Amino acid sequence: MFFPEGQVRVHLYGQPVDMRKSFTGLYALARHGLQQDPLSGHLFAFINRRASQMKVLYWDRTGFCIWAKKLESGRFLSDWRQVASREMDYTGLKLMLEGIEPKRIRTRYVSLRPTHLPSAP
């Protein structure tokens, strides 16, 4: 299924998840662990302890769907201590699926406005 990127919210679960969980287990984590409604149409991403597997749960108006990805090498996350449950955009999820972990957000351009105006003589 394709999503309009600006309208999709992705909720990342900030703790390791047992990848044997399926629809009901992931639904419960989204409902009680993230305090979100899984029927909202948003995406819910779950990662295992080794950070080599990810499952994404979403509701598509007819039922639940799960995407699963298992990496042959590498990890989705570099350190679990820096991960917290959070909301991210669809682009961030796509980057994470490709192996790019966004560390922090930086603005590309810095405003060069003066901090104070010189006084007139």
Side-chain angles (χ1 to χ4, degrees):
M1 178 177 211
F2 297 102
F3 299 101
E5 293 192 22
Q7 299 173 2
V8 176
R9 291 174 27 193
V10 179
H11 300 278
L12 177 66
Y13 191 69
Q15 297 176 1
V17 174
D18 181 3
M19 285 293 116
R20 293 176 291 182
K21 291 186 185 301
S22 188
F23 297 97
T24 54
L26 297 177
Y27 173 90
L29 287 175
R31 184 69 155 165
H32 301 294
L34 292 170
Q35 303 295 320
Q36 297 292 325
D37 181 16
L39 299 174
S40 64
H42 302 305
L43 305 178
F44 299 91
F46 304 94
I47 301 173
N48 70 337
R49 183 170 305 281
R50 290 184 181 174
S52 62
Q53 295 182 41
M54 180 186 295
K55 285 188 177 181
V56 178
L57 174 75
Y58 71 97
W59 175 259
D60 74 348
R61 294 181 291 187
T62 59
F64 282 107
C65 299
I66 293 179
W67 294 338
K69 183 168 184 177
K70 180 179 180 184
L71 297 175
E72 291 297 320
S73 63
R75 303 173 135 207
F76 290 113
L77 303 170
S78 58
D79 187 9
W80 271 109
R81 290 176 290 180
Q82 298 174 357
V83 177
S85 295
R86 67 179 190 268
E87 183 179 329
M88 55 196 287
D89 60 354
Y90 188 60
T91 304
L93 176 65
K94 288 192 311 185
L95 289 172
M96 189 177 283
L97 286 170
E98 292 298 322
I100 302 169
E101 183 181 354
K103 296 283 185 186
R104 61 182 167 204
I105 298 173
R106 286 183 158 180
T107 56
R108 181 175 290 204
Y109 301 103
V110 177
S111 175
L112 298 176
R113 290 183 280 175
T115 56
H116 66 281
L117 296 174
S119 58

